Amino acid sequence: MTGTMCTRCVLPHAPPDILLDAEGVCNICRNYEAEERMGALEDPLLETDFLKILDKHRGKQEYDCLCMLSGGKDSTAALYYVKQKYKLNPLVFTFNQGFVPDEHLDSARKTVDKLGVDWVYFETPFMKDMFRKIVQTRSKVVICGICSLWYMLKTYEIAAQFNVPIIISGWTKGQTTGSSRSVLSKCACDQNPEEFKAMSAATREFMDKHVRTDPKYRDFPYNMQDVMQIAKTQYKSKAVVLSPHWFVPGGPDEYVPVIKEKLGWDYPERSYPKKSTNCDLNFVASKLAVKNFGYSHYHIEMSNMIRLGVVTREEALEHLRMDYGDEVLGDILAKLDSRGMA
Ligand SMILES: [Zn+2]
């Protein structure tokens, strides 16, 4: 794999969207380099931009914001800063589609207790049939992409229910393009970069073939634009989605020591990528994505973070290493009643 990987980021040669040149550098890195040279990169977001938005909404409702909390380092730090540094009154929201390990939920519960904040915990088997269908039809759709449509819609629904004007996520700098214009105009997903094209096509195909035709999922959102449309028209939610990590310099090296000290937080024993806190389906989703596309959504995120200088290429490669065996995959597939499928 390393032989055909970009020498600067962690994306592979994957025509027609990702191409390595004679020097082994991918077109995404080359485009970034060209924009940087021309001064065409947008100014980075500033903490004052974040504060401006918070101050506009502060104190007007029972809760100032809805904090999405998985129990992982990024969402835990986001909640910690929102409560302790920016002095907001957050409502915390944790969802579980049946594949979130107990140790992640225990971590979330511990943080909520320590900070003394209100918490909505939502668990449902609603998505299980869809996850099973993805595995059994051998669709190339990335499970996490479909799941994010479901949980974002749910998050907007809860935000609307409690009249919350801001949704706070723990998304990293690598999970947005870092473009201030798109973030501040409400949607950080409103891009279609080259490296997402193949995955997006697989999502559309799966939606048309297996979701829209299934009575259980007939009303399931088609893409993130659709999620926002439903939020606006059906739920009457005007909530903006922001992550504090987009507005402050530095990355996990800065905030992990803080939450370890202040909240007694620690890394979970089992998660993919390493040093993350993601649901068990990530083991399957990432493995299938690499098989189908040559890279996963985490390769995209890590590559963004390398370009932004938040992680080194060596750190990214270590986090992405897939050294888990068939045993882990077997466990998860058994839970989907699909053993032996992937
Ligand atoms: Zn690259």
Side-chain angles (χ1 to χ4, degrees), residues 69-125:
L69 180 68
S70 67
K73 62 182 186 308
D74 308 316
S75 62
T76 301
L79 169 61
Y80 178 79
Y81 283 121
V82 156
K83 174 81 168 62
Q84 304 299 69
K85 185 176 179 191
Y86 303 119
K87 308 286 180 203
L88 295 185
N89 181 29
L91 175 64
V92 179
F93 176 49
T94 301
F95 55 81
N96 180 4
Q97 16 68 327
F99 292 86
V100 179
D102 287 343
E103 61 171 336
H104 301 187
L105 298 173
D106 290 344
S107 167
R109 192 176 297 113
K110 197 167 127 192
T111 295
V112 162
D113 285 348
K114 272 240 157 121
L115 290 172
V117 287
D118 291 346
W119 189 34
V120 174
Y121 173 70
F122 178 72
E123 186 176 340
T124 173

Side-chain angles (χ1 to χ4, degrees), residues 6 9 26 29 307:
C6 174
C9 70
C26 78
C29 283
R307 277 176 225 113

Side-chain angles (χ1 to χ4, degrees), residues 84-251:
Q84 304 299 69
K85 185 176 179 191
Y86 303 119
K87 308 286 180 203
L88 295 185
N89 181 29
L91 175 64
V92 179
F93 176 49
T94 301
F95 55 81
N96 180 4
Q97 16 68 327
F99 292 86
V100 179
D102 287 343
E103 61 171 336
H104 301 187
L105 298 173
D106 290 344
S107 167
R109 192 176 297 113
K110 197 167 127 192
T111 295
V112 162
D113 285 348
K114 272 240 157 121
L115 290 172
V117 287
D118 291 346
W119 189 34
V120 174
Y121 173 70
F122 178 72
E123 186 176 340
T124 173
F126 175 73
M127 290 297 286
K128 190 175 168 181
D129 289 340
M130 190 162 345
F131 295 148
R132 184 191 299 121
K133 206 184 273 192
I134 292 173
V135 174
Q136 289 184 344
T137 60
R138 300 183 185 271
S139 161
K140 288 185 176 181
V141 69
V142 179
I143 297 175
C144 309
I146 296 276
C147 187
S148 70
L149 298 176
W150 167 75
Y151 73 68
M152 278 318 297
L153 189 61
K154 198 67 198 170
T155 305
Y156 275 114
E157 190 187 335
I158 305 283
Q161 209 175 319
F162 288 91
N163 235 335
V164 181
I166 304 170
I167 293 168
I168 297 285
S169 75
W171 294 329
T172 66
K173 292 187 210 310
Q175 286 168 310
T176 159
T177 57
S179 145
S180 46
R181 209 177 308 135
S182 58
V183 166
L184 298 178
S185 69
K186 274 191 65 168
C187 182
C189 324
D190 196 20
Q191 279 109 5
N192 192 18
E194 301 300 307
E195 64 266 45
F196 276 113
K197 273 190 180 163
M199 292 182 188
S200 301
T203 304
R204 284 193 297 274
E205 195 196 326
F206 181 76
M207 281 289 169
D208 293 334
K209 257 195 190 158
H210 299 292
V211 180
R212 286 291 151 104
T213 52
D214 183 339
K216 180 176 174 183
Y217 298 115
R218 207 170 26 217
D219 298 326
F220 197 83
Y222 196 76
N223 52 30
M224 212 41 98
Q225 279 72 37
D226 201 17
V227 168
M228 298 204 304
Q229 189 61 28
I230 298 171
K232 214 159 84 186
T233 55
Q234 283 182 35
Y235 303 158
K236 314 284 178 215
S237 172
K238 289 184 191 150
V240 290
V241 185
L242 299 170
S243 166
H245 303 309
W246 298 340
F247 298 88
V248 290

